[in-house]
Amino acid sequence: TATTLVAMITFLGLSGFFFLLSLYFGLVQQLDTLQAAWRMLVVTACAILVGGPVGRLMHRVSARVLITGGLLVVAASLFSLVGVDAHTSFAALAWRLAPLGLGLGAVMTPMTATA
């Protein structure tokens, strides 16, 4: 039940975040679809890169600790996006989006294995 609840909250939040991020890139920063997709790839690439090491780490660390730590990293990353405005450069966004992907990778792998 707890895993299902974490999955639901994570995916609902992730869906809302990617929707708003795509609106930000398209309407606020006036980027075309491909440019926005390349910028959003930072989150996905970091999540994929951290998935393997977290899977191996699950043999030594409790899934509960990994999920909690990942969610805290995600929350901190989302909180860092509060200061973003229309003229924020991609470099300034990338260091905020990369931890989001790392946190999601740390959440998804143990969550899936636990489910």
Side-chain angles (χ1 to χ4, degrees), residues 25-26 29-41 90:
F25 284 140
Q29 289 200 333
Q30 301 293 317
L31 301 175
D32 65 22
T33 306
L34 189 58
Q35 290 173 325
W38 282 112
R39 284 165 172 75
M40 292 171 68
L41 193 62
F90 176 62

Side-chain angles (χ1 to χ4, degrees), residues 17-115:
F17 168 75
F18 275 120
F19 175 70
L20 290 176
L21 187 63
S22 66
L23 288 177
Y24 169 76
F25 284 140
L27 298 176
V28 176
Q29 289 200 333
Q30 301 293 317
L31 301 175
D32 65 22
T33 306
L34 189 58
Q35 290 173 325
W38 282 112
R39 284 165 172 75
M40 292 171 68
L41 193 62
V42 171
V43 178
T44 307
C46 287
I48 290 171
L49 289 175
V50 80
V54 168
R56 288 188 293 279
L57 189 62
M58 283 180 52
H59 299 292
R60 293 185 297 250
V61 179
S62 167
R64 202 175 278 175
V65 171
L66 291 171
I67 291 171
T68 303
L71 288 175
L72 289 172
V73 171
V74 167
S77 178
L78 290 174
F79 185 71
S80 74
L81 288 168
V82 172
V84 170
D85 64 5
H87 304 292
T88 303
S89 68
F90 176 62
L93 277 175
W95 74 264
R96 292 175 168 114
L97 295 176
L100 177 67
L102 297 175
L104 287 173
V107 169
M108 296 301 170
T109 304
M111 182 181 64
T112 305
T114 302

